[in-house]
Amino acid sequence: MGEIRATGAELRGNGVACGIAIGRAHLLAPSELEIKQYHVQRADVLHEVARLNNAFSLVRSELEELRRALSADAPGEVKAFLDLHRMILDDSLLCDAPRDLVRTRLINAEWALTIQLEELCRQFDAIDDPYFSSRSEDVRQVVERVLRRLAGARPAAAALPPRLEEGERLVLVAHDLAPADVLQLRERADVNLAGLVTESGGATSHMAILSRSLGLPALLGVVGAREAVAEGDLVVLDSDGGRLIVNPEPSLLETYRQRIAEQGLRRAELRKLKGRLSRTSDGIPVQLLANIELPEDARDALEAGADGIGLFRSEFLFMNRDELPSEDEQFEAYARVARSMKGKPVVIRTLDIGADKVLTSSARHSLGMLPGDGIEEPNPALGLRAIRYCLAFPELFLTQLRAILRASSQGTVRILVPMLAHVHEIEEATAFVVRAKEQLKERRQKFDARIAVGGMIEVPAAALTLSAFVSRLKFLSLGTNDLIQYTLAIDRNDSAVAHLYDHLHPAVLHLIHRTIRTGERARLPVSVCGEMAGDVALAELLLGMGLRQFSMNPSQLLTVKQRLFELSTRTATRLANRVLRSHDPVEIRRALERGATNGRTAPRPVSTAAPVSARVSP
């Protein structure tokens, strides 16, 4: 590898997909292609259009080849990224408009494509919504691939990585990374990928999602990474501590190697817990459920030993596609999960579209919406979303309910209605369930006539008036991510106020406790399916509040199970009472950190801000 530069530089960033990686840095250069701009003769128009067509065709083949190369057990998110980029590539606004510009303005292909790119990005950036900001990023990544093909250049991922010694691994360093480039590198036989470092991106970016899906430690938002790191440098990527160390001292490097070994041993120990029933040290059983987005995610839930699916976010069947899924397509997806869980409960949340989760314009048009409807709301988080959206489009709602009901004949399926704020919403939703049942009876199709319908408590109004809801519901699910942002009036995706997004604010804790206790008095099962459920540092507090059902990402399940084995409900109750008497978040954190020392393995310190879900907000 040559002589190592002894810089010892330490950079900070946002850690994703917890873990530590040690490897040689491979810098992916940004697309600094020279975009030539010139006018063409009318006789050359066909040639320029043909160049565009050929470049689009080559990129299309790249993405299709990557899709085919994915293993059958590849995470669903990985396939979704490739499908999204293929969809962008085929969108008429991107592939047809540049051809028209070539014809009408008599300009070269590259110029036409960049003009259209900037126009699309201006449209996206004009909408104050994080979802559209990430779409702008996707469009740029796709256009970069096409521009490279127009210039005859190779994809960024084709750049040769540094030569590695036996046993060494690679850490990618870039300003930004396109999911397709990461996947291309990961599939190469000469690359052993250890981690990812980018100068851009945050907790909800595509790279954050991809790194979690692939199980690769990542550090995002590392300012100046490409200046501080040289090709081939030895780096330590500490995702847990949020830092990148360049050419560490031998003693520090050995410390990190020991930590990696210890983490490996801990993971092996955790796997031994898979078959054990989850209970506290004083014998109180606790259900540990899994949150999933796609049918294939059920495999990860089973692998982690989940007691069931506590939240199936059905909206991912609807997003990033031009046609809405049919009843039969939905039925197959829901039934597949129900069958794979072999009788364990599967809670399917009805469509939670809106805010940062939107349908494509073509899909919206099929619902009878005019172009732009549902996008340019002044504040989409407070607009038409979740149950409000479903009630506004009855046929959309009925189609989904029929599919869920049909799937209930294949296993233990339950219906979860999101974002309730008014009693009439659950009454209307229940009426739709009854209507869907009647339609299936007319068709003579099987379903569970006694299917349970539950409500998601994520709006303070529902938590404060819960006694009016409980007689109409069979179970409750606390969506803490949205409950926090609605209680504190904080958009958790807005970096200007994200530091105020606090899951330990006394108001938030009292609403959670109130919901759990109200459900207990009404003899309704209550689960927490927001990010708080998977935070091991909060397990004792939630247990002490009376929570007996935790629903989380499958990757978090065994760690939380291990912590529960160490906890006593009596001690946890005392901690919860002490915390609920306090009105100072700092004091609350100290109490939790003191409580964290009880038990064999102390979890990580209590964070100053609640973690943000990788993909969506329960």
Side-chain angles (χ1 to χ4, degrees):
M1 285 297 306
E3 187 177 350
I4 295 176
R5 297 185 305 117
T7 65
E10 183 175 316
L11 306 171
R12 308 296 296 186
N14 302 310
V16 177
C18 295
I20 298 168
I22 297 175
R24 295 288 174 184
H26 178 36
L27 274 64
L28 286 186
S31 173
E32 292 170 348
L33 298 172
E34 181 183 353
I35 307 301
K36 297 178 181 178
Q37 299 181 1
Y38 54 87
H39 289 277
V40 299
Q41 298 296 318
R42 187 161 295 282
D44 296 325
V45 165
L46 287 179
H47 173 69
E48 289 301 309
V49 170
R51 289 181 63 230
L52 264 175
N53 291 342
N54 184 56
F56 272 87
S57 179
L58 288 171
V59 173
R60 191 175 293 110
S61 297
E62 284 175 17
L63 296 177
E64 288 174 353
E65 186 178 341
L66 268 175
R67 187 72 159 78
R68 284 195 300 270
L70 291 176
S71 59
D73 60 350
E77 299 95 330
V78 174
K79 298 172 185 175
F81 283 130
L82 293 178
D83 291 342
L84 173 61
H85 280 208
R86 172 60 192 271
M87 187 182 78
I88 291 170
L89 191 69
D90 291 339
D91 193 298
S92 61
L93 287 174
L94 187 63
C95 62
D96 291 342
R99 297 184 183 102
D100 294 338
L101 287 171
V102 171
R103 295 186 185 103
T104 59
R105 296 174 59 171
L106 299 180
I107 58 177
N108 65 309
E110 292 89 343
W111 192 1
L113 187 57
T114 52
I115 287 173
Q116 186 60 15
L117 167 65
E118 295 310 318
E119 173 59 28
L120 287 173
C121 289
R122 269 197 301 273
Q123 292 177 19
F124 282 131
D125 294 342
I127 303 169
D128 185 18
D129 187 299
Y131 178 86
F132 286 94
S133 297
S134 59
R135 293 297 74 73
S136 175
E137 179 183 307
D138 287 318
V139 173
R140 285 188 183 278
Q141 290 171 354
V142 171
V143 168
E144 179 184 322
R145 299 180 80 85
V146 178
L147 287 170
R148 281 184 172 276
R149 285 301 187 177
L150 283 170
R154 297 180 300 174
L160 290 174
R163 195 154 48 92
L164 303 178
E165 301 293 342
E166 186 176 352
E168 286 188 327
R169 304 182 70 191
L170 208 64
V171 174
L172 292 186
V173 181
H175 174 71
D176 186 25
L177 286 167
D181 288 338
V182 175
L183 293 173
Q184 275 187 307
L185 275 165
R186 189 169 177 265
E187 295 299 319
R188 285 174 53 170
D190 60 336
V191 172
N192 186 359
L193 208 52
L196 311 169
V197 177
T198 65
E199 294 177 323
S200 65
T204 58
S205 69
H206 277 178
M207 280 319 303
I209 298 168
L210 187 65
S211 64
R212 291 187 186 101
S213 301
L214 299 177
L216 289 172
L219 207 59
L220 311 182
V222 184
V223 178
R226 290 176 299 154
E227 285 72 35
V229 181
E231 181 75 5
D233 273 347
L234 186 64
V235 296
V236 172
L237 191 170
D238 180 0
S239 182
D240 300 326
R243 58 181 182 163
L244 179 73
I245 305 167
V246 186
N247 297 319
E249 294 291 332
S251 59
L252 184 59
L253 184 62
E254 183 57 33
T255 298
Y256 271 105
R257 284 179 173 149
Q258 288 176 4
R259 283 183 59 184
I260 290 174
E262 290 166 3
Q263 287 181 350
L265 291 173
R266 279 200 297 273
R267 281 194 292 270
E269 287 298 313
L270 285 176
R271 284 194 289 272
K272 295 177 184 177
L273 302 178
K274 176 184 170 182
R276 291 180 60 185
L277 292 175
S278 179
R279 59 180 69 246
T280 62
S281 63
D282 50 346
I284 303 300
V286 179
Q287 272 195 311
L288 295 182
L289 308 164
N291 297 340
I292 66 171
E293 284 83 32
L294 297 166
E296 47 265 40
D297 294 342
R299 179 190 62 249
D300 297 330
L302 288 169
E303 187 61 32
D307 296 319
I309 303 300
L311 178 65
F312 183 172
R313 301 182 177 104
S314 66
E315 55 271 13
F316 281 91
L317 298 173
F318 292 75
M319 293 169 66
N320 300 330
R321 54 187 295 164
D322 290 334
E323 294 181 357
L324 295 171
S326 66
E327 179 183 325
D328 286 342
E329 183 183 345
Q330 291 186 61
F331 161 69
E332 289 297 336
Y334 306 145
R336 180 177 162 193
V337 175
R339 286 192 296 266
S340 66
M341 295 309 293
K342 297 181 171 63
K344 292 180 178 180
V346 175
V347 176
I348 301 176
R349 180 174 69 185
T350 58
L351 187 60
D352 185 8
I353 213 73
D356 62 338
K357 295 166 286 184
V358 299
L359 302 177
T360 64
S361 58
S362 297
R364 289 194 306 276
H365 184 68
S366 70
L367 290 172
M369 300 175 74
L370 297 173
D373 283 0
I375 298 180
E376 298 175 3
E377 296 182 66
N379 191 334
L382 301 179
L384 192 66
R385 61 167 294 199
I387 187 57
R388 302 170 184 175
Y389 201 101
C390 289
L391 294 178
F393 297 98
E395 285 308 315
L396 175 74
F397 196 26
L398 278 170
T399 299
Q400 181 175 39
L401 290 174
R402 288 194 302 269
I404 297 173
L405 285 166
R406 288 170 59 190
S408 69
S409 66
Q410 309 291 308
T412 307
V413 172
R414 296 165 185 167
I415 298 172
L416 178 62
V417 182
M419 205 182 168
L420 294 172
H422 304 276
V423 171
H424 72 79
E425 290 168 337
I426 191 59
E427 290 175 341
E428 290 182 54
T430 304
F432 271 98
V433 173
V434 171
R435 196 164 146 203
K437 288 179 178 180
E438 290 170 351
Q439 291 173 342
L440 292 180
K441 284 178 184 176
E442 290 172 5
R443 296 187 197 169
R444 297 186 178 180
Q445 290 180 304
K446 294 180 180 178
F447 63 90
D448 178 5
R450 297 190 297 175
I451 190 170
V453 178
M456 203 156 185
I457 308 305
E458 50 194 335
V459 177
L464 292 169
T465 59
L466 194 55
S467 56
F469 287 79
V470 292
S471 62
R472 297 165 172 84
L473 298 167
K474 295 299 182 183
F475 64 96
L476 303 173
S477 185
L478 266 160
T480 53
N481 296 2
D482 273 334
L483 183 65
I484 296 165
Q485 83 165 347
Y486 289 137
T487 302
L488 302 181
I490 298 296
D491 181 353
R492 59 205 173 95
N493 292 311
D494 185 341
S495 58
V497 293
H499 64 287
L500 299 173
Y501 181 89
D502 188 358
H503 60 314
L504 295 181
H505 190 290
V508 172
L509 297 180
H510 280 277
L511 287 175
I512 293 171
H513 182 245
R514 180 191 184 101
T515 301
I516 294 170
R517 289 306 183 202
T518 303
E520 189 178 66
R521 286 194 295 271
R523 297 187 178 181
L524 292 185
V526 180
S527 69
V528 167
C529 63
E531 292 294 320
M532 287 179 70
D535 190 335
V536 69
L538 301 178
E540 186 172 17
L541 175 61
L542 293 172
L543 182 73
M545 287 182 176
L547 187 67
R548 297 296 181 265
Q549 286 187 359
F550 295 67
S551 191
M552 65 201 75
N553 186 295
S555 65
Q556 300 166 314
L557 197 142
L558 291 177
T559 305
V560 173
K561 178 183 277 192
Q562 182 186 53
R563 181 61 179 156
L564 288 171
F565 282 135
E566 301 165 357
L567 298 175
S568 149
T569 52
R570 188 178 298 106
T571 305
T573 302
R574 285 200 296 268
L575 172 66
N577 289 338
R578 189 160 63 249
V579 164
L580 290 167
R581 284 195 299 268
S582 175
H583 296 284
D584 181 359
V586 174
E587 185 181 312
I588 290 171
R589 282 188 174 79
R590 286 177 183 152
L592 291 180
E593 286 168 1
R594 284 195 298 271
T597 60
N598 297 328
R600 194 169 58 255
T601 307
R604 59 184 173 80
V606 179
S607 61
T608 58
V612 178
S613 173
R615 279 195 277 206
V616 291
S617 33

